[in-house]
Amino acid sequence: MQMISVPLHSTTNSYHLGNNREVVDAKVCYTSLTKKFIGKQIQKDALLLKEGTIKGSQWHFFRSPVTGKIGATKPLLKELNRDGFKIIIHF
């Protein structure tokens, strides 16, 4: 897996890019859709996908060793599904 840096608007984000040109994002704990952070990540991934910079986006969810919680809220899952992102929950 390699890292790429992609300038988008006024920020530069680094992405883990798999051999199949899919970005990989990992979340630990139960994650909700927030406009300030998670929502912006989804928008940037969707833009990269639309522009052809990437071929897909994978979102991995892992159990928190502190809280024991895992997964994503329904609104977050709905957004990820709408944009065609792969969702992997590691139970």
Side-chain angles (χ1 to χ4, degrees):
M1 191 168 303
Q2 71 183 58
M3 290 287 292
I4 61 169
S5 292
V6 180
L8 291 171
H9 308 293
S10 61
T11 64
T12 299
N13 283 21
S14 293
Y15 290 89
H16 294 282
L17 188 62
N19 293 336
N20 54 1
R21 306 251 346 127
E22 289 189 343
V23 294
V24 179
D25 198 340
K27 303 293 180 211
V28 177
C29 197
Y30 191 71
T31 307
S32 61
L33 178 61
T34 60
K35 292 185 187 263
K36 190 171 186 177
F37 184 69
I38 301 293
K40 286 185 179 185
Q41 283 185 298
I42 293 171
Q43 288 176 344
K44 288 179 181 182
D45 284 7
L47 179 62
L48 291 172
L49 189 59
K50 182 179 178 182
E51 292 175 341
T53 304
I54 63 172
K55 295 198 184 273
S57 181
Q58 298 179 18
W59 282 56
H60 293 254
F61 296 90
F62 295 90
R63 184 174 312 281
S64 167
V66 176
T67 66
K69 294 183 179 182
I70 188 173
T73 61
K74 287 182 182 180
L76 175 53
L77 292 173
K78 183 178 177 181
E79 285 294 308
L80 295 173
N81 278 316
R82 183 194 66 168
D83 289 318
F85 299 166
K86 292 181 184 175
I87 301 165
I88 301 103
I89 300 175
H90 299 268
F91 291 99

